[in-house]
Amino acid sequence: MSRSLRLEKLRSSLIQPVSLDLAAGECLALHGPSGAGKSLLMRAIADLDVCEGEVWLNQQARSSMKPSTWRKKVAYLPAESYWWEESVAAHADHWDMEVLQQLGFEPAVLNWQTSRLSSGEKQRLALARALTNQPQALLLDEATANLDTQNSAAVEAVVEQYREARQVPVIWVSHDPEQRQRVANRMALINQGQLTWN
C-alpha cells in the first residue's frame, strides 16, 4: 500500500489554508520563527484542534475515521510529551526492545516510574511509544529539542530507519538548519500562519 499524506485547504483561525502532498517515504522539514504556526499546523493535521479542510492518509479521509483511530495511524510527537501512568511500561502494550536499545535504553526502563524521567528521556521514550502503534505517518514537533548531539543522532537514525523500512511520510519541525538538511527531502517555511516552500 502506498503511504501518502495529503493536506487539502487545511486551515484554522491562525493558520492560512495549506495544501500539500507528501509521498510515501518523504520527509518534509518545517521551520519558522516562534509563534509562526508550526505546532498549530501539526496539531491541526493530528486532529487535536478545530480546523477546516481535509487530510488524507493513503487516500482515506481523516473525517471518515474516529479521532482515536486517526491518531494511531498519524502519530504526533509534541515537544513536550504526556505521561499519565506511573510506569513507563503501562503506556503501551508492545514495546520494541530494539528501538529502545537504539535510543539508549535497557529493557529495565519499562519498570521506571515516569516521575523520574528527565525531559530528554521522555522525548526519546515518546518516540518509542509512538512507534509501538506502527503509524503510517509521523508528525515530529521539535523531536530532539531537549537532546544532546548523541541522543539527537539516535532519534534521527530511528526515524530514518522507520521511514525507509515502512515508506511512511514524515513532517519534522526543526529550528536546526543542519538537522533539516540531514533528515528532509523537502523544506517549507511557516510565517504568520502561511506556508511557503524553500
Side-chain angles (χ1 to χ4, degrees):
M1 176 188 293
S2 175
R3 292 182 167 88
S4 60
L5 188 68
R6 177 161 59 95
L7 278 55
E8 190 174 275
K9 297 180 180 178
L10 190 67
R11 63 171 297 168
S12 70
S13 59
L14 298 172
I15 298 291
Q16 299 185 38
V18 174
S19 296
L20 63 85
D21 286 277
L22 269 185
E26 263 197 304
C27 180
L28 168 66
L30 292 182
H31 65 108
S34 296
K38 301 180 298 296
S39 295
L40 292 175
L41 177 59
M42 299 287 264
R43 288 180 59 84
I45 298 169
D47 199 20
L48 291 169
D49 293 337
V50 175
C51 58
E52 299 175 7
E54 187 61 275
V55 185
W56 301 78
L57 177 67
N58 311 331
Q59 308 305 315
Q60 189 172 5
R62 183 182 65 183
S63 58
S64 70
M65 301 184 204
K66 294 179 180 179
S68 58
T69 301
W70 177 260
R71 291 174 198 139
K72 285 183 178 179
K73 293 178 180 289
V74 180
Y76 170 56
L77 268 71
E80 297 292 333
S81 60
Y82 299 98
W83 298 83
W84 52 92
E85 301 286 354
E86 289 187 8
S87 73
V88 171
H91 289 84
D93 293 329
H94 305 289
W95 292 85
D96 187 322
M97 295 301 155
E98 183 177 346
V99 168
L100 288 174
Q101 184 176 29
Q102 289 174 306
L103 292 172
F105 296 105
E106 297 295 331
V109 71
L110 298 180
N111 299 320
W112 289 8
Q113 297 295 298
T114 53
S115 58
R116 67 163 280 187
L117 297 174
S118 69
S119 57
E121 288 168 340
K122 287 179 179 177
Q123 205 160 25
R124 287 179 287 147
L125 286 168
L127 173 59
R129 179 178 66 188
L131 296 184
T132 64
N133 290 321
Q134 299 183 352
Q136 297 173 26
L138 289 174
L139 308 175
L140 309 176
D141 194 349
E142 290 291 345
T144 60
N146 296 313
L147 304 182
D148 59 23
T149 302
Q150 180 179 347
N151 284 316
S152 292
V155 166
E156 289 179 16
V158 167
V159 172
E160 174 72 7
Q161 180 180 344
Y162 189 85
R163 179 171 70 90
E164 288 290 335
R166 295 180 180 266
Q167 285 297 290
V168 302
V170 177
I171 301 180
W172 193 321
V173 172
S174 175
H175 286 292
D176 182 347
E178 294 182 359
Q179 182 178 65
R180 295 196 298 268
Q181 290 287 345
R182 288 193 301 270
V183 304
N185 310 106
R186 299 160 67 190
M187 298 190 197
L189 169 71
I190 295 184
N191 198 6
Q192 297 182 341
Q194 183 172 7
L195 184 144
T196 56
W197 299 99
N198 65 341

